[in-house]
Amino acid sequence: PVPTCSPDFSAYSACPLGPYDVDAGFCMNGSCALAKGMFFDITAKTDDLLITALHYYAYQSNTLHEIWTKAGSHDGYEGNQAAWTLVDSHTSIHGWEDHSGGNSMEDTATLQTFITVPAGSTQAFFITSPGAAYGALFSNANAEVGAVQTEDDYLQIRNGKFTNSYWPYSLSSSAYPWAGRIEYAVLQAPAASSVTPAPVPDPVTPAPVP
């Protein structure tokens, strides 16, 4: 849920708009792949955004999953743990058995720390399961790193890479689409000043000197 207004939002003209979400869907064309973790990026298009939750598809139920994030793209930082911040840690409810037969049961990670993404900026995410061989699912379809996977009026989800290790990483050589959904709110820009300027008097023409 979008938080109620507080001093944290004093720089904005009103409470956040939303919640909205961008859905990257389940596995494209029903073709799933799995790995220990998945990197992907999002971009705030024209407004400051507040990322509140990630919805994803776990391979195993009752398994610890972690959500990490960093400002900017994940590309080139996959092995630099110090550049990342852990923002959620929880146990998955659903597993592969819940995704069969045309079903797709997502798990929800409501972030312990909401993330502000300024307009025009990119934010990277990493979903991993440190204690299990496999974590979140992704689409088994080659893609271009950083290319837009899906979007709405405010937010873009971009393709990333998977890994089969925790820290450090062994990465896939190709990019893949993430499977999941991003929940967010729109932080409204500061309002324009409502002060009406004082009228400027007409110039006075001096009287001619006799």
Side-chain angles (χ1 to χ4, degrees), residues 119-209:
S121 298
T122 294
Q123 187 81 18
F125 288 92
F126 175 51
I127 302 178
T128 185
S129 182
Y134 300 113
L137 301 172
F138 59 94
S139 295
N140 188 20
N142 286 346
E144 179 183 349
V145 173
V148 176
Q149 177 185 349
T150 189
E151 63 183 318
D152 67 1
D153 290 342
Y154 300 106
L155 183 147
Q156 297 173 328
I157 299 177
R158 298 177 178 271
N159 299 319
K161 292 184 177 181
F162 72 83
T163 178
N164 282 316
S165 57
Y166 190 53
W167 303 101
Y169 296 109
S170 62
L171 286 170
S172 60
S173 58
S174 301
Y176 293 87
W178 175 61
R181 185 162 57 94
I182 300 289
E183 190 170 324
Y184 70 95
V186 177
L187 296 172
Q188 300 183 70
S193 174
S194 59
V195 177
T196 303
V200 179
D202 293 333
V204 177
T205 303
V209 177

Side-chain angles (χ1 to χ4, degrees), residues 44-131:
K45 295 170 71 174
T46 57
D47 296 85
D48 295 352
L49 303 182
L50 190 70
I51 310 302
T52 58
L54 272 67
H55 306 265
Y56 68 97
Y57 301 98
Y59 177 68
Q60 293 173 283
S61 59
N62 196 33
T63 301
L64 178 67
H65 285 75
E66 295 178 348
I67 311 294
W68 295 74
T69 191
K70 67 171 290 293
S73 174
H74 72 278
D75 196 26
Y77 290 87
E78 299 90 347
N80 183 3
Q81 184 179 10
W84 297 78
T85 300
L86 180 66
V87 289
D88 189 75
S89 180
H90 71 282
T91 300
S92 58
I93 298 173
H94 302 291
W96 180 250
E97 65 277 7
D98 298 315
H99 308 317
S100 59
N103 296 320
S104 54
M105 303 294 291
E106 63 183 20
D107 272 88
T108 298
T110 300
L111 302 183
Q112 297 168 10
T113 302
F114 294 162
I115 301 162
T116 300
V117 184
S121 298
T122 294
Q123 187 81 18
F125 288 92
F126 175 51
I127 302 178
T128 185
S129 182

